Amino acid sequence: MTEELRKVFHEELDAIKNATVRMAGRVSEAIVRGTDALLSGDLDAAQALIENDDAIDAMSIDLEGRCYQVLSLQQPMASDLRAITGALWINGEIERSADLMSNVCKASRRIHGKTIDPIVRGLIEQMSAEAARLFRLSIDAYNEGDSGLAAALDDIDDRLDELNEDTIEAIFASHKNTTEPDLQLSVQLALVCRYYERIGDHAVNIGDRVTYIVNGWMPENTGAIRAAARVNEDKGEK
């Protein structure tokens, strides 16, 4: 690859990263606004965010096409190849996170007019804030190439998992202690908890891909090494 072609290639890599970060910014905003729409019962805001998911889908498709174009035309090697394939994976994690917030907004329509227990409301607010924080940290790790932050995301996600358990317990307690329990409300709120918890999982997955981009290492590599060691041990015993 000539010097001029390499310059163009790296400019395109930078453009792909910038587009990925912009799309993630739309999702970060959707987490905050979607939670507000859910808890305030704002159907117009919920509908606007559902429609906004279409725009994020369009961004995702465009980004995927650009990655494939670079792969087919430039035939990158080593770290450059990891940067593009990693961007493809991260693109998918971001798009699925957007889908989850669209699901939160759809849930807000199903429970419109219903009263959410104050304790449950508070815990949902905490889950939303933690999911948004974790998601932003994962994108910061990607944007800055920070493998240390990326590796820490799995431990940081423990807090969101704990909040998920606490919120589910509060939903069940509220359902049990209400004189006229509303099964649909309880089910929808439990699903909302799952959506936030899954956003955290996608953030951790983004961190794994950042580690791969920076170091060429995935968590699955550890398991693969153990599997190979067991095969070698079995051969040695025969």
Side-chain angles (χ1 to χ4, degrees), residues 153-227:
L153 292 172
D154 193 22
D155 289 336
I156 297 173
D157 184 47
D158 289 346
R159 173 58 181 157
L160 185 55
D161 291 338
E162 291 170 0
L163 281 170
N164 181 46
E165 293 176 4
D166 292 344
T167 312
I168 293 296
E169 289 179 4
I171 291 168
F172 285 151
S174 176
H175 181 82
K176 181 180 179 181
N177 297 330
T178 303
T179 54
E180 296 182 5
D182 189 329
L183 181 59
Q184 183 187 33
L185 175 62
S186 298
V187 169
Q188 291 300 318
L189 291 177
L191 287 172
V192 165
C193 292
R194 177 60 175 163
Y195 300 147
Y196 289 125
E197 192 268 338
R198 285 295 297 145
I199 289 173
D201 290 343
H202 287 306
V204 172
N205 290 344
I206 290 171
D208 289 342
R209 292 296 161 181
V210 172
T211 301
Y212 168 71
I213 292 170
V214 177
N215 302 326
W217 186 265
M218 287 289 294
E220 291 82 359
N221 292 131
T222 302
I225 290 172
R226 287 197 299 263

Side-chain angles (χ1 to χ4, degrees), residues 84-96:
I84 298 171
T85 57
L88 278 168
W89 278 93
I90 290 170
N91 173 43
E93 303 291 348
I94 294 171
E95 190 276 329
R96 284 188 285 276

